[in-house]
Structure formats: structure tokens, C-alpha cells
Amino acid sequence: MPAPGAPLDAAAGQGTSAPGAPGPGTPQPSAAQGHVPHAHGTQTAAMPAPGAPLDAAAGQGTSAPGAPGPGTPQPSAAQGHVPHAHGTQTQAMPAPGAPLDAAAGQGTSAPGAPGPGPYPQAASPQGPPSHATPTHGTPPPGADAFAQPNPGPEVAGGGGTGAVGHGAAGPGGPWQRYDPWSAPLQQTGAAVETEGQRRRRGRRVLVLGAALIALVAGGVGGVVGAQLERDGGFGGDVELPQAESGSQKRSKDSVAGIAASALPGVVTLHVRGDDGAGTGTGFVLDAKGHILTNNHVVEPGGSGGDISVTFSGGETAGAKVVGRDAGYDLAVVKVSGVRGLKPLPLGNSENVQVGDPVVAIGAPFDLANTVTSGIISAKERPITAGGEKGDGSDVSYVNALQTDAPINPGNSGGPLVDSRARVIGINSAIRSAGNDSGPDGGQSGSIGLGFAIPINQGKRVAEELINTGRATHPVIGVTIDKQFTGDGARIARESRNGGPAVNRGGPGAKAGLKAGDVITAVDGQRVHSGDELIVKVRAHRPKDRLELTVERGGDERKVTLVLGTASGE
């Protein structure tokens, strides 16, 4: 703008005023003030200083809509800045006395866009502005420092030298360019995060992401696992689940432990002779090769039959009969030239109690090394077996151990062992469904009634057979009436050969027994038949002392005798 008091150049006002420029008569700020305000970004032309004559050409043209009308108060140039409506940034002005470059204001401003420079400049044809600019911030006399421009629509500045644009500060000016977009941007209403906060947020995101991935992976794995378990996989061969290989060791007192200990000492016998063939079981008595079995097992071979012994490991050997006794149904055979024999230990049948666990080993129906288990069901069961010859010479009398361990044809002669794998009996007979009480009970299967010769009796007989080839029987020296149907054992009137029923000088005669006496008890145990009396007597050794309860003529008496000895067959 011209200096105060300088005349206005008519050429400076030529052309039509840009829309929004003040009309004639509108109070204008002094040129010494150095800047003009922006209304919504619209630039206004600088006016001459107070008292300067207006050039008629400067006021020509129609005011742009929204420009302040005549008399509108304008801010003083002495305030030193241009206020922006609605947050428009203020712009610094050149220092007082700095020359304004007239060329800075040239050119037409784009609609609503800021000019090339940061400051609104007024083109002055008069040369440099006056240095009589009031002190910064002090309005000239009569100027209203709080007047605000009347906001109007944003318009484009007029062409020609009368239009005011944003020009650049002259070279060498102390004011530097201000870039309103150089400040960092941030989201409205949110605080700017520090570096530590960003790192913590990143870690939280990683942790949450890892947890989410683990959760999803677990779910997918569960579904896949269930699918695999249900359908056996996605394809290929089916592989069934199976327990892992474990230890094969078992407790010594278990059935498996007992069997493992006893089986090496058990053998299977195959007998062939003129009288037939048969299969049975036996067990090793000593390292010399003696094997104990039942008499009815080896009987088909007779005295010259063929006996083959098969051990649990599959080895075979020939055997010969050492001795046998039909009355006890026991026999001893011997193998020769066999090493590594495993004799079974012998227990004590007197210590056996009802309910004790037992294991039976044998070859039922020629199935070698068969193991069954059960308990002792009863003791001192008087049984008789055999009798196929009809004369009674093959009948055996046994005060047996009863067991429910399954015993079948082929088990005869095999061991009945206790929980410590010690032999307590020799399996000899079964009670079959057909009521056959013969050896092995015929060919019927087990019904849980098996009988074994007590090992105490078997040991004595085996020792006699090995040492002498014959066994001895304890006797009382009387003939029993087998036709008696009453309770007890009655002494016959005469012997089988017609002689006296009470042997002269025998144990019975010495004790005072007479024909017709009825013996009702042995050592206090009742007897109900002649066979039971024989069983009770043979359960003892020769020279054992017995107490008998006798009825005679309605009177009951007790007698004591010492058992005699008879040679067995």
C-alpha cells in the first residue's frame, strides 16, 4: 500500500474487485498495519492508510457477495497478525520497515487456495512502504482492534495488480517461511503413544495371537484325533491297539508261577502192550530217573509192555516198570541215560486243609502239560477204584483228598501241588456223571469231583516199590463180610477159602475180635461199610496202633491192636 498521505495510483485500483472485497466507504485498516484478516480463507485487499485520498479507480467494481459492507469495523494492522475463522492458522508478517515486494502479490489466486507466500501482501506502485508503522500490536488512533471480518463464501481473487495474494518474503528478510503442514499429525481426541507403550501393545498383540493360535490348533487337533481314533486314520491298513510287552515273570505262589516251577518235573506216559494201550501222567521223584504214576496207567503194558516217557520240553525216553501195587493203585517206572531231570519236591498231606488252593497238572485226553487249578474240597474221602477183574484183586482203596480242580482221563498219575509247587497228592480218580467210579471215571469229563492219593501214603509205597519191588499193606487179620448192609463193618463167619474169619495169631485175634463183631469206628472216626474200614486201615503203616470201637450182642466195647503186615501184589 502507499505510505500514509501518498496519493493512490489510479492504475492500482483498475479492474473489477474480486468477490468479497470491501465496497466504497468501508473503513479499511491502515497500510502501516502490515496485514489484513482472512475470512474463511478469502483474501481481502489492503486499503490506504487513514487520511490518504481514495483513488476513484480503486473502488470501482461490484463487491463480492459476503464482503464487509460500508462501515464494517476492520482489524488494525498494528495487531501484527491475521486471525483465521474456524481454526485457520495465523501468519507472521514482515518486520516493521521491511520493504514489500510488489511482485509478490501478482497473479490470480485460486479459489479458496492460499497464495504462493505466507503473508498477504499489498502491491504498492509507490515503492517501499512507510517506516512510520506503529509499534507491533498497537492499533492506530481510531482503529478497533477487536473487530472481526464478516465471514463470507470463499471466492477467487481478482486479476490485475489490485488483487492481493500470498507472496514470499523478500530475500534476506528475517522472517522464515512457515509450513502449516509440517507439524506431526495425530488422531483427533487420542493421545500420542510413547515408544514403550507401542512395544507393550505389540507384546500384548503377540501374546493374544499366540493364545488364539494355540486354542484353534487344540480344537483342530482334538477333532482330528477323534476322527483318527474313530475311523482308524485317514487311510491305509487298520492297526488295532495292543498292550505293550511287559515282564513275563509271575509271583511264585500264583498259578502261573506254580505251573512254571512244576511243569519241568511232569511227564506224559504212553503205554502199549498185549492188553491194550493207554495214556497217563507221572512226575519225577529223583535224579536217578524214578517216576511215580498210577498202577492202572502202566497196567495195559503188563510186565513186558512198551512205555514211552515224554518230558515237558518235548524230549522222550523209554521206561521200565520198577514195581507196582493194585491195592494202592501206584507204580514206579524208571528212565535211564537222561540228564537234567527236575524232581518235584514232596509236601505233607497231613498239613493240608480244606480250602487250600491246589494246581493239577497232566495230559487229559493226551493234551500234554495241561494245568488246572482249584481247592481242596475235602479230606479222607474213602474211595475204591478198579474192580474190572471181578475178583477184587485190582480194587484200590484210597483215603483220598477231594479237589474241584478239573481232572479228566489222562490226568491219572499226575501231581496235585500246593501253592509252593510241592506235591501233596497223586491224581487218581474222578466221579463222572455216569457214576463210574473206576480209574479216571471212564471216558466221561470232569464234574468237579476229583480224587488224589495223599502223598504221605504215596511216598511210603514208592519207597517200598523202589527198594523191594513190592509194597506192604497194614492188616488187622480178619475177613470182612461184604454182604452186610447195616451200619459199620461186620466180621464174616468164615474166610474166602472156608477157614476162620479171624486169622489165628493175627492182630485181630490178639485184640479179642470174633466172627460176627461189627466195627463202627477207627480211632474215634465212624465207619459205615467194610470198604471204609479197609481204607482207614490202609491209610496207616504196618505196626501202627489202632483203637477200634466194636459192637457185640448189643454191647459196645473198645479194643486196641497193632497193625500187621501183608505183602501186596
Side-chain angles (χ1 to χ4, degrees), residues 266-270 282 291 308-317 335 368-369:
V266 181
V267 300
T268 301
L269 287 81
H270 293 91
I291 295 171
S308 174
V309 175
T310 303
F311 295 89
S312 62
E315 304 87 351
T316 61
V335 295
N369 303 324

Side-chain angles (χ1 to χ4, degrees), residues 268-270 278-281 362-370 406-412 430 432 440-447:
T268 301
L269 287 81
H270 293 91
T279 300
T281 307
F365 301 102
D366 205 15
L367 299 173
N369 303 324
T370 296
I407 297 174
N408 291 284
N411 275 106
S412 292
I430 62 172
S432 67
D440 287 333
Q443 291 298 311
S444 299
S446 172
I447 60 172

Side-chain angles (χ1 to χ4, degrees), residues 458-506:
K459 177 180 179 294
R460 181 183 70 83
V461 173
E463 289 172 348
E464 290 182 344
L465 293 175
I466 292 171
N467 294 327
T468 66
R470 300 178 70 88
T472 59
H473 298 173
V475 295
I476 61 175
V478 299
T479 300
I480 301 297
D481 182 5
K482 295 292 186 71
Q483 304 300 319
F484 179 68
T485 58
D487 187 32
R490 188 174 68 179
I491 300 176
R493 297 295 178 180
E494 57 182 23
S495 66
R496 295 177 184 173
N497 58 9
V502 179
N503 298 338
R504 294 186 181 96

Side-chain angles (χ1 to χ4, degrees), residues 20-408:
T26 304
Q28 300 298 324
S30 171
Q33 293 172 333
H35 70 278
V36 292
H38 286 229
H40 288 280
T42 303
Q43 297 174 350
T44 57
M47 297 302 293
L54 288 175
D55 187 354
Q60 292 175 359
T62 307
S63 298
T72 303
Q74 300 296 325
S76 171
Q79 292 174 331
H81 70 278
V82 182
H84 284 233
H86 294 283
T88 306
Q89 296 177 353
T90 61
Q91 301 182 3
M93 297 303 293
L100 290 174
D101 185 2
Q106 294 176 358
T108 305
S109 300
Y119 314 115
Q121 303 294 331
S124 174
Q126 305 295 330
S130 170
H131 293 278
T133 306
T135 304
H136 178 71
T138 305
D144 188 357
F146 298 96
Q148 298 293 329
N150 189 21
E154 187 173 72
V155 296
T161 58
V164 180
H166 289 281
W175 300 90
Q176 297 181 358
R177 180 183 299 274
Y178 172 74
D179 184 1
W181 303 102
S182 63
L185 299 177
Q186 67 180 59
Q187 292 181 334
T188 303
V192 178
E193 290 182 336
T194 64
E195 184 67 20
Q197 289 174 331
R198 284 196 298 272
R199 290 178 180 176
R200 286 193 293 272
R201 181 166 59 86
R203 286 195 293 269
R204 287 196 296 270
V205 171
L206 289 176
V207 171
L208 291 176
L212 181 60
I213 291 173
L215 181 62
V216 173
V220 173
V223 172
V224 173
Q227 179 73 17
L228 289 174
E229 184 171 353
R230 182 177 66 251
D231 298 337
F234 295 110
D237 296 336
V238 174
E239 184 175 351
L240 301 177
Q242 185 179 24
E244 296 181 358
S245 299
S247 174
Q248 296 184 355
K249 294 183 179 180
R250 298 292 184 270
S251 174
K252 291 183 178 181
D253 59 353
S254 67
V255 174
I258 295 169
S261 178
L263 275 171
V266 181
V267 300
T268 301
L269 287 81
H270 293 91
V271 180
R272 295 183 181 277
D274 295 339
D275 296 336
T279 300
T281 307
F283 59 93
V284 179
L285 290 174
D286 55 28
K288 296 180 179 181
H290 292 106
I291 295 171
L292 182 62
T293 186
N294 282 136
N295 176 67
H296 71 264
V297 171
V298 300
E299 189 175 21
S303 58
D306 179 39
I307 301 175
S308 174
V309 175
T310 303
F311 295 89
S312 62
E315 304 87 351
T316 61
K320 298 295 184 180
V321 175
V322 174
R324 60 192 184 95
D325 187 276
Y328 289 115
D329 194 20
L330 292 173
V332 174
V333 300
K334 183 180 180 181
V335 295
S336 300
V338 179
R339 297 181 179 180
L341 295 174
K342 304 292 184 182
L344 293 186
L346 305 181
N348 190 329
S349 54
E350 293 294 332
N351 297 333
V352 175
Q353 299 296 323
V354 174
D356 284 348
V358 291
V359 173
I361 304 176
F365 301 102
D366 205 15
L367 299 173
N369 303 324
T370 296
V371 177
T372 58
S373 65
I375 61 170
I376 295 295
S377 302
K379 294 176 62 176
E380 299 180 352
R381 289 291 195 198
I383 65 168
T384 59
E388 283 82 3
K389 293 183 178 180
D391 59 0
S393 60
D394 63 338
V395 176
S396 62
Y397 300 89
V398 179
N399 198 29
L401 297 172
Q402 180 181 330
T403 178
D404 66 348
I407 297 174
N408 291 284

